[in-house]
Amino acid sequence: MQNQNDTEIIKNISLIPLRDLVVFPSTLVPFIIGRPSSVKALEKALEKDKLIFLSAQMDASVDNPRPKDIYSTGVTAKIIRTIKIDEKNIKVIVEGKKRARAIEYLNTHPFYQVLAKEINEIETSETDVKDELKRVLTLFEDYLKLSQNANFETIIPALKDNKPERVSDIISSHLYVPLEEKQNLLETINSIERIRRLNFVLENEILKIHSKLKKEGRKKNQNKSPQGQKVFPSGLNLKKQNQSNEIEELRKKVSQANMTKEAEDKAYKEIERLESMPPMSAEATVCRNYLDWLTSLPWNKRSREKRDIKKAEKILNEDHYALEKVKERMLEYLSIRQLVKNPRGVILGLIGPPGVGKSSLGRSVARATGRKFVRLSLGGVRDESEIRGHRRTYIGAYPGRIIQMIKKAGTKNPVFLLDEVDKMSVDFRGDPSSALMEVLDPEQNRTYLDHYIDTEFDLSQVMFIVTGNMAEPIPRPLLDRMEVIRIPGYTEDEKLQIGKQFLLPKQMKIHGLKKKNLNINDEALNKLIREYTREAGVRNLERELTSICRKVVKKVVTKGKEHKENVNPKTLEKHLGIPRYRRSKIDKENEVGVSLGMAWTEFGGELLTFEVNKVHGKGNFMLTGRLGEIMQESAQAAFSYVRGKIYELNIAKDLHKNFDVHIHVPEGATPKEGPSAGITIATSIISLLTDIPVNKKVAMSGEITLKGKVLSVGGIKEKLLAAHREGIKEAVLPVDNKPDLKDVPQNVKEEITIHFVSNMDEALKIMLIKELPENLKKDKLPLSSEISNREGEGEGPQNPPLTH
């Protein structure tokens, strides 16, 4: 019955002899090894390819088996995991791969190494085995229900979609039959024969279980005393009592957990299974863990909410400066709670640059509402099972992170912060963002189903706060489930107040300093913000204040507790060194072909310099500075717009055949993306070709079309904050972005003159230091025949200067 064709010879594979255990292909099996030879064989396999040969001993009592004491047929297996239990014993988890036969023992000391040949299954038609397979599945389900050695509800569904050979191996691994019978099933390589053998074995086992149950029933009736009390056999009294106490304790926990009806029924059913199992079996441990999780979840426990609007507002203002939109939304929610008993849960999405207080806001909201607070970081999560949990059929299964955090909170209505949602990724194990859709959908999360708990849990009363730096990486269906609030960067005035009121007092307290020990005046703080940090948030500001506090602590320790340090702009360099950021000359001097654009990144607003030059060539167009695909397309559109205006402006008519245009954006190590640089690039090119410098007091942002229209862009507040931070006095924006100014701080609008334009002609009047000559603008586009005639007569325009 063995097919010897197309088999693979495996040389020098380590062998571990197993006591009372037969491993089958396609199964995950844990076992413990402790013999020195087995440990060395394991170590050798781990050094190579983690492949090992496993075969059963004929007699489990033999400590040092010889080759004749070990079955020649076994399996090749992949080592999945090893856990060191103590100095001698190691727990090993393996996955059976293929049947194999040990042809020759190459080494028996210090461990077994064999020459093995893998055995291929004899191929069978599924139609031939269909009826046999259906019968064996029915018998196996009956066997599991009667024996209660495993959970048939989880095993049977896993078998129905598999191939006959795999089904027969999985069933064989779950049978509690003598070792010789299991070895016989392993050595039967024809799947039809193996399934027929399984039918025979299962029928016999079911008959044995029925007979055993009848005998136990008669014994119970005989062992009852006249008063109806059970009498335990001698020697088992203590074990039975301990198990009985454990079962009663579990029943009590279930009754006190206030579970849903579905969860309670599942728990009692699991207790019945546990009661019939051997107390020390592996399956009993799985049952206990499952029941512990069920009984420890807060099925009906809630935090008592604070609904005082004024106190909540006071707490939010104590913890955070600005962030008015988020605070207003929280106060609105508390107001609704006073009128509606059970409103829908809140799912807020806070999107903004790092360091603006998104994560810490969750704690403040929990404190203001009187709820528990839990935080789950989603950065780097790429496995769906981390959200939904693992099914209990897997070894070492546990609930998902959502259920774990709910258990940690101890209530069903905590403030739940899902941090860095935009940093999740996807791989072959599933898409975690898809699993989050059920969590963040108010219509679905009241019946949230974790794979491990396997019963519905209500998440509708949880207040979810989701944070991220950028909205673009977040899948659109997931983003639609949130109420998105965009948190922009702070202005310099806001940073000054945050530093004075929050960060400096916090760091002084951490470092043990008193008010008399350290004083930093407003001028010093402003210089620190402008010249030592460049960020949308305040994380680096806090870091620099920490550095100052450390240096002051050292002086206080050496000079005495009464020492006082006054920090002003002149002494700031003594504490922090030379300034890290300085405004370069390019920010002050007007140049030809160089313009200033406003950009929006995940770290807030930034200013970018765009440089354009022309060299001898053939009309090519070059882009450098790590520009993304969208920005490259925007630059192409700007260049095409300028080429379309060449004859209208009477400039560089031979550009397409004598010159190459090169556009560069400095800071080449930093990637740049987006369409908002269109008008900036077009201005730089026209400045170069007309020899008119660009006004360096003006920063600009807007998407350009081929016809010269200026379209709206995003991140207006962040861009204007960056311009304000760099001392820009004028800005050019698309006219469609005028409504976005309502979010811009008043002092920024007062200090920056904002020009709104709808096309490039309007923009050029503002951005170039002088207007284009009137006669140039009125020139009409000559006909192609006129162009060819002029070129033939040598009357074409003279080449302009190469560089400016």
Side-chain angles (χ1 to χ4, degrees):
M1 298 300 295
Q2 295 169 1
N3 183 2
Q4 302 292 341
N5 297 328
D6 302 325
T7 55
E8 183 181 351
I9 302 294
I10 304 175
K11 297 179 181 179
N12 296 332
I13 186 171
S14 303
L15 180 145
I16 295 180
L18 303 175
R19 303 183 202 238
D20 290 329
L21 178 64
V22 176
V23 178
F24 287 84
S26 305
T27 59
L28 277 173
V29 181
F31 56 86
I32 296 173
I33 60 171
R35 289 183 283 201
S37 60
S38 297
V39 173
K40 289 177 180 176
L42 177 71
E43 291 172 350
K44 185 68 175 178
L46 289 171
E47 288 176 7
K48 293 175 66 181
D49 51 7
K50 295 188 177 181
L51 200 65
I52 199 158
F53 187 83
L54 302 173
S55 187
Q57 289 181 210
M58 297 178 184
D59 185 355
S61 62
V62 177
D63 284 333
N64 297 305
R66 291 173 292 175
K68 67 176 185 177
D69 299 323
I70 304 169
Y71 286 109
S72 61
T73 301
V75 295
T76 57
K78 194 81 171 179
I79 300 167
I80 303 299
R81 191 178 178 189
T82 60
I83 305 166
K84 192 166 185 179
I85 299 173
D86 51 42
E87 291 183 1
K88 292 183 179 179
N89 298 317
I90 300 173
K91 184 176 182 179
V92 186
I93 300 173
V94 299
E95 181 185 7
K97 290 297 182 184
K98 292 191 74 173
R99 287 172 169 79
R101 179 176 290 108
I103 300 172
E104 180 184 352
Y105 278 78
L106 304 175
N107 208 349
T108 57
H109 186 79
F111 58 90
Y112 297 111
Q113 278 187 304
V114 297
L115 182 68
K117 179 191 287 186
E118 290 187 341
I119 304 170
N120 287 336
E121 290 271 353
I122 295 177
E123 294 184 2
T124 56
S125 170
E126 288 192 20
T127 54
D128 297 340
V129 79
K130 188 176 181 180
D131 293 336
E132 298 278 358
L133 188 62
K134 188 176 180 181
R135 174 160 175 74
V136 83
L137 285 169
T138 304
L139 286 170
F140 183 55
E141 186 172 346
D142 293 340
Y143 170 77
L144 289 177
K145 288 178 180 178
L146 288 168
S147 65
Q148 296 187 338
N149 289 321
N151 189 349
F152 73 92
E153 291 179 346
T154 53
I155 294 174
I156 292 297
L159 293 172
K160 287 185 177 177
D161 296 330
N162 283 318
K163 294 181 179 179
E165 54 269 20
R166 192 175 176 207
V167 169
S168 59
D169 284 335
I170 293 173
I171 291 175
S172 300
S173 68
H174 282 88
L175 294 180
Y176 284 80
V177 295
L179 178 74
E180 292 78 9
E181 186 61 62
K182 280 202 170 185
Q183 184 65 28
N184 188 11
L185 288 167
L186 180 69
E187 293 180 3
T188 306
I189 62 171
N190 186 319
S191 57
I192 291 183
E193 293 298 325
R194 191 158 63 248
I195 288 170
R196 287 172 181 164
R197 181 69 189 170
L198 276 173
N199 274 323
F200 175 75
V201 171
L202 285 167
E203 286 174 351
N204 283 341
E205 289 301 309
I206 290 170
L207 286 173
K208 287 179 185 177
I209 292 169
H210 278 300
S211 176
K212 183 181 177 183
L213 291 173
K214 285 181 182 178
K215 287 180 182 178
E216 286 179 354
R218 286 196 293 269
K219 283 184 180 180
K220 283 180 181 178
N221 292 331
Q222 292 171 3
N223 288 336
K224 283 185 179 178
S225 65
Q227 290 78 20
Q229 294 176 335
K230 188 183 278 190
V231 179
F232 289 101
S234 174
L236 296 176
N237 203 357
L238 185 60
K239 282 186 179 180
K240 289 284 185 182
Q241 283 180 354
N242 288 341
Q243 188 176 9
S244 178
N245 290 339
E246 181 190 21
I247 297 298
E248 287 304 315
E249 186 67 28
L250 286 171
R251 289 183 190 277
K252 186 178 178 182
K253 283 184 177 180
V254 171
S255 65
Q256 293 175 349
N258 292 322
M259 299 179 184
T260 61
K261 184 70 170 63
E262 181 190 359
E264 195 172 77
D265 291 344
K266 192 172 280 288
Y268 282 129
K269 194 173 183 180
E270 203 70 22
I271 290 173
E272 288 177 10
R273 288 185 60 243
L274 179 63
E275 196 172 8
S276 63
M277 290 180 189
M280 300 305 291
S281 68
E283 189 67 20
T285 304
V286 172
C287 277
R288 288 190 195 96
N289 289 339
Y290 178 66
L291 288 166
D292 283 343
W293 273 102
L294 275 183
T295 55
S296 61
L297 287 175
W299 295 95
N300 209 23
K301 294 179 183 176
R302 296 179 181 85
S303 297
R304 187 174 180 180
E305 284 187 349
K306 297 175 184 177
R307 299 186 180 181
D308 190 319
I309 303 295
K310 290 183 179 179
K311 284 186 179 178
E313 187 174 10
K314 183 182 176 184
I315 290 171
L316 291 172
N317 288 330
E318 282 176 359
D319 292 348
H320 289 84
Y321 186 82
L323 304 180
E324 301 304 330
K325 276 192 176 181
V326 187
K327 293 177 184 176
E328 184 182 353
R329 183 64 186 88
M330 289 298 103
L331 297 175
E332 288 170 357
Y333 173 74
L334 291 177
S335 302
I336 295 169
R337 294 291 291 181
Q338 293 193 12
L339 300 179
V340 183
K341 189 176 180 181
N342 290 310
R344 291 173 62 175
V346 176
I347 300 170
L348 293 181
L350 306 182
I351 307 298
V356 294
K358 300 185 299 296
S359 301
S360 60
L361 193 63
R363 293 186 185 276
S364 297
V365 171
R367 194 161 76 90
T369 56
R371 296 184 179 212
K372 298 285 187 180
F373 174 77
V374 285
R375 173 183 171 272
L376 172 59
S377 177
L378 296 173
V381 171
R382 59 183 64 194
D383 186 356
E384 181 191 351
S385 297
E386 288 198 48
I387 305 296
R388 284 189 174 275
H390 298 79
R391 301 187 188 278
R392 283 188 290 144
T393 47
Y394 296 108
I395 294 169
Y398 53 86
R401 303 280 289 279
I402 300 294
I403 291 295
Q404 289 180 39
M405 289 298 165
I406 292 293
K407 179 188 174 184
K408 181 181 177 182
T411 63
K412 66 181 297 184
N413 64 337
V415 173
F416 199 133
L417 183 74
L418 295 168
D419 213 3
E420 307 293 352
V421 71
D422 56 330
K423 306 299 188 300
M424 286 191 301
S425 52
V426 182
D427 70 359
F428 65 92
R429 289 169 291 189
D431 183 1
S433 64
S434 299
L436 275 180
M437 286 183 199
E438 184 184 357
V439 177
L440 299 180
D441 192 334
E443 300 297 330
Q444 299 182 46
N445 62 11
R446 62 179 63 252
T447 56
Y448 175 68
L449 187 66
D450 182 272
H451 287 160
Y452 181 86
I453 299 300
D454 199 26
T455 187
E456 293 175 355
F457 189 88
D458 185 5
L459 295 176
S460 63
Q461 296 182 41
V462 178
M463 182 186 287
F464 286 103
I465 298 178
V466 184
T467 73
N469 297 133
M470 299 285 281
E472 285 73 19
I474 304 172
R476 181 58 55 186
L478 187 60
L479 198 64
D480 287 343
R481 284 162 169 77
M482 308 175 201
E483 182 182 338
V484 177
I485 298 176
R486 296 191 179 273
I487 302 178
Y490 294 116
T491 64
E492 286 188 1
D493 289 341
E494 288 173 339
K495 289 182 182 180
L496 178 65
Q497 296 303 322
I498 292 169
K500 283 170 61 178
Q501 297 178 28
F502 297 91
L503 302 182
L504 185 57
K506 174 186 171 184
Q507 291 303 324
M508 288 177 68
K509 184 178 179 181
I510 291 171
H511 290 83
L513 294 172
K514 297 179 181 178
K515 287 185 178 179
K516 63 182 180 182
N517 296 130
L518 175 61
N519 176 55
I520 304 178
N521 62 29
D522 289 358
E523 291 77 12
L525 267 177
N526 270 324
K527 183 176 180 180
L528 194 156
I529 292 165
R530 291 173 182 170
E531 300 184 15
Y532 290 87
T533 66
R534 183 169 287 180
E535 57 179 345
V538 291
R539 199 165 282 162
N540 286 328
L541 174 60
E542 184 173 13
R543 199 171 288 127
E544 298 300 335
L545 289 172
T546 303
S547 180
I548 292 173
C549 287
R550 286 198 305 267
K551 289 177 170 58
V552 174
V553 166
K554 182 181 176 184
K555 290 186 178 181
V556 169
V557 171
T558 54
K559 296 183 179 181
K561 294 182 178 179
E562 299 302 317
H563 175 75
K564 183 171 184 178
E565 189 80 12
N566 288 308
V567 180
N568 55 49
K570 292 181 179 179
T571 60
L572 191 62
E573 288 191 25
K574 183 176 70 174
H575 293 90
L576 298 178
I578 60 173
R580 294 178 181 83
Y581 305 103
R582 306 172 195 174
R583 292 179 187 166
S584 57
K585 290 181 180 179
I586 199 167
D587 291 335
K588 300 174 184 178
E589 298 177 357
N590 299 327
E591 293 183 71
V592 170
V594 180
S595 55
L596 206 57
M598 295 181 287
W600 179 32
T601 71
E602 61 181 301
F603 304 107
E606 293 288 343
L607 292 188
L608 295 177
T609 302
F610 290 79
E611 299 177 346
V612 180
N613 200 1
K614 63 177 181 178
V615 293
H616 276 302
K618 297 181 180 179
N620 294 327
F621 182 62
M622 293 178 288
L623 294 165
T624 55
R626 284 197 72 183
L627 307 185
E629 184 178 348
I630 298 172
M631 188 175 276
Q632 288 184 34
E633 290 180 356
S634 183
Q636 291 280 359
F639 185 59
S640 295
Y641 162 75
V642 175
R643 288 187 66 173
K645 300 281 284 185
I646 281 177
Y647 288 102
E648 182 181 337
L649 299 176
N650 198 21
I651 53 173
K653 293 181 181 177
D654 55 351
L655 178 68
H656 64 286
K657 59 181 181 180
N658 290 333
F659 298 102
D660 290 343
V661 173
H662 184 181
I663 298 176
H664 177 66
V665 186
E667 298 185 26
T670 306
K672 306 160 189 77
E673 184 60 290
S676 62
I679 64 169
T680 314
I681 295 171
T683 301
S684 298
I685 297 172
I686 291 174
S687 168
L688 177 72
L689 300 180
T690 59
D691 203 21
I692 301 175
V694 180
N695 188 348
K696 271 305 170 60
K697 293 180 181 179
V698 181
M700 60 200 86
S701 182
E703 183 178 352
I704 190 173
T705 70
L706 293 177
K707 298 297 183 182
K709 292 181 181 179
V710 179
L711 305 182
S712 63
V713 292
I716 296 300
K717 181 178 178 181
E718 290 81 359
K719 291 174 179 178
L720 289 175
L721 287 177
H724 180 262
R725 186 172 65 234
E726 297 298 326
I728 298 298
K729 299 302 179 185
E730 294 182 67
V732 174
L733 294 173
V735 70
D736 291 338
N737 283 118
K738 190 177 286 188
D740 296 322
L741 282 189
K742 65 181 181 181
D743 294 331
V744 178
Q746 187 61 33
N747 67 315
V748 174
K749 289 189 281 188
E750 290 173 356
E751 294 179 28
I752 297 180
T753 302
I754 301 170
H755 305 278
F756 292 101
V757 298
S758 59
N759 55 64
M760 275 302 298
D761 290 335
E762 295 174 6
L764 289 171
K765 290 178 182 179
I766 301 161
M767 295 184 291
L768 299 179
I769 63 169
K770 61 180 182 179
E771 287 194 32
L772 297 171
E774 288 296 323
N775 62 326
L776 292 187
K777 291 194 287 184
K778 289 179 182 177
D779 282 348
K780 292 183 179 179
L781 184 66
L783 298 173
S784 57
S785 58
E786 294 175 355
I787 298 170
S788 59
N789 290 337
R790 288 176 187 172
E791 289 176 351
E793 295 168 7
E795 295 178 1
Q798 296 298 315
N799 289 345
L802 294 181
T803 57
H804 299 283

